[in-house]
Amino acid sequence: MNAIILLGPPGAGKGTLAESLRDETDFIHVSTGDMLRAAIKAGSPIGPGAKVFMEKGELVPDPVILGIIKERIAQAAGDARFMFDGFPRTLEQAKLFDQLLTEIGGTLLKVVNMSVPDDMLIRRLSGRRICKACGAVYHMVNIPPKTEGICDNDGAELYQRPDDNEETVRNRLSVYKNQTAPLISYYREQDLILDVDASMTPGSTYAFTLEALNG
Ligand code: ADP
């Protein structure tokens, strides 16, 4: 198993970049945030516990996250290539992931470090709207749908993620700084970091990252 990690604060565009990379490469996109939201929706046993943390913008406990990651990896072929979006998010998760890679003979190829100024992150997240049906992502100002509140693709209603309100967004940013940003030096010491300026347009961010990953 080979993997890359997309690392960056909420609103950096990890999901958007992952979707573009998935279309052009053979990486399997694994978003722990999406998996947790799906678990809640499906009424899985981890759902109610995870929901409490997510609504506050706090992190779901490491053992729960490692559990879903291991399960996901086990479902794929041994030579699968993964792109992790939103994992690892604590030093403990990074260390447990290193152990897991050793156990299964996997290799971490690169860690894409996406950076964006705070004021831009807050604007991106508080204006974000998502299609209830297909999951397409819009922004009320930057990427508005043709008709307000309605998805261009399928006419379904758009919604705001409950943790995208300004207060929770500020908490998510401070959680990122305290608990996730230390991973940048952890991976820089291992010479795995690829720095990306993610304040560019989605297209430019994608083009830059793809070229750097291939180069
Ligand atoms: P964002 O990166 O925009 O915050 P995500 O969808 O990746 O959005 O995550 C939403 C929430 O899911 C997080 O605030 C956290 O509560 C939970 N979560 C996702 N991934 C992890 C993780 N690796 N460890 C702990 N909690 C996580």
Side-chain angles (χ1 to χ4, degrees), residues 7-169:
L7 183 64
K14 301 182 293 288
T16 305
L17 176 62
E19 272 174 33
S20 306
L21 287 171
R22 187 185 54 191
D23 291 343
E24 292 284 325
T25 64
D26 56 357
F27 284 112
I28 300 171
H29 176 204
V30 173
S31 157
T32 41
D34 286 350
M35 288 166 83
L36 292 167
R37 281 184 289 275
I40 293 171
K41 212 170 161 187
S44 123
I46 62 162
K51 192 170 177 211
V52 176
F53 292 100
M54 292 172 78
E55 278 177 350
K56 290 189 284 194
E58 301 289 335
L59 297 183
V60 173
D62 295 334
V64 175
I65 300 295
L66 259 295
I68 61 174
I69 287 288
K70 282 187 182 166
E71 206 179 336
R72 183 64 191 85
I73 293 175
Q75 285 165 3
D79 61 353
R81 286 152 59 81
F82 283 98
M83 171 166 54
F84 292 106
D85 153 10
F87 170 85
R89 232 164 162 114
T90 62
L91 265 182
E92 182 61 16
Q93 288 179 20
K95 289 178 183 164
L96 291 168
F97 185 52
D98 280 346
Q99 277 177 21
L100 178 65
L101 287 172
T102 310
E103 277 165 34
I104 63 175
T107 307
L108 178 55
L109 304 169
K110 275 279 172 229
V111 177
V112 180
N113 174 34
M114 304 173 72
S115 45
V116 177
D118 278 4
D119 54 343
M120 192 184 267
L121 293 173
I122 292 171
R123 280 200 304 274
R124 281 186 184 178
L125 291 168
S126 31
R128 175 160 73 177
R129 296 292 182 275
I130 301 165
C131 173
K132 277 192 168 152
C134 73
V137 179
Y138 295 87
H139 185 280
M140 290 200 301
V141 181
N142 304 342
I143 324 163
K146 291 196 187 100
T147 311
E148 201 188 314
I150 302 292
C151 179
D152 294 349
N153 300 337
D154 49 27
E157 208 184 318
L158 304 184
Y159 78 103
Q160 181 175 36
R161 249 171 62 176
D163 59 346
D164 274 351
N165 66 78
E166 187 157 343
E167 192 194 335
T168 313
V169 162

Side-chain angles (χ1 to χ4, degrees), residues 109-111 185-194:
L109 304 169
K110 275 279 172 229
V111 177
S185 18
Y186 178 77
Y187 287 124
R188 211 179 285 285
E189 278 160 23
Q190 300 177 42
D191 209 16
L192 287 171
I193 291 280
L194 167 64

